[in-house]
Amino acid sequence: MTVTEDMLRTHPKADSSAALVACIDACLECAQSCAACADACLGEDMVADLTTCIRKNLDCADICATTGAVLTRQTGSNPETLRAVLEACRVACAACAEECEQHAGTHGHCKVCAEACRRCEQACAELLAA
């Protein structure tokens, strides 16, 4: 059981569905991965060639962190905002994954980041469909 599952299970008003738990965990993992990838890109000798990747990493990290936080809040409901934030997260993850995949052969951190982004993109799509 993850911390996310524990927290939602003990919350008096929470939805602890598997799709929600998976999405929150994927968002938080992706935020960390994107922040780490941006930092690693800044350490590369060819940093000027990675500016688009860094920008997409940072945008995705912020959007994923926000999405994870919004999804974690269970008291009350705002379905329109939840749909919008999930869709924004899905789009940001797809864009970041696509960019990182272009560098994955050269930079291992981009490969790891692209994989985390794809998992988060999928988790957001699954929660949107639920």
Side-chain angles (χ1 to χ4, degrees), residues 58-73:
L58 294 174
D59 288 349
C60 192
D62 288 344
I63 292 168
C64 286
T66 298
T67 301
V70 170
L71 292 175
T72 298
R73 293 191 282 271

Side-chain angles (χ1 to χ4, degrees), residues 97-115:
E98 186 175 303
E99 181 65 29
C100 279
E101 287 165 352
Q102 293 178 35
H103 309 287
T106 308
H107 305 295
H109 52 84
C110 285
K111 181 180 186 303
V112 172
C113 186
E115 291 167 353

Side-chain angles (χ1 to χ4, degrees), residues 14-75:
D15 164 16
S16 58
S17 71
L20 177 63
V21 170
C23 194
I24 293 169
D25 285 343
C27 285
L28 299 177
E29 174 186 84
C30 192
Q32 186 278 326
S33 178
C34 288
C37 189
D39 185 64
C41 285
L42 288 169
E44 295 290 349
D45 291 336
M46 58 192 350
V47 68
D49 297 336
L50 297 169
T51 56
T52 299
C53 191
I54 294 165
R55 173 57 191 255
K56 289 184 179 185
N57 284 160
L58 294 174
D59 288 349
C60 192
D62 288 344
I63 292 168
C64 286
T66 298
T67 301
V70 170
L71 292 175
T72 298
R73 293 191 282 271
Q74 295 291 301
T75 303

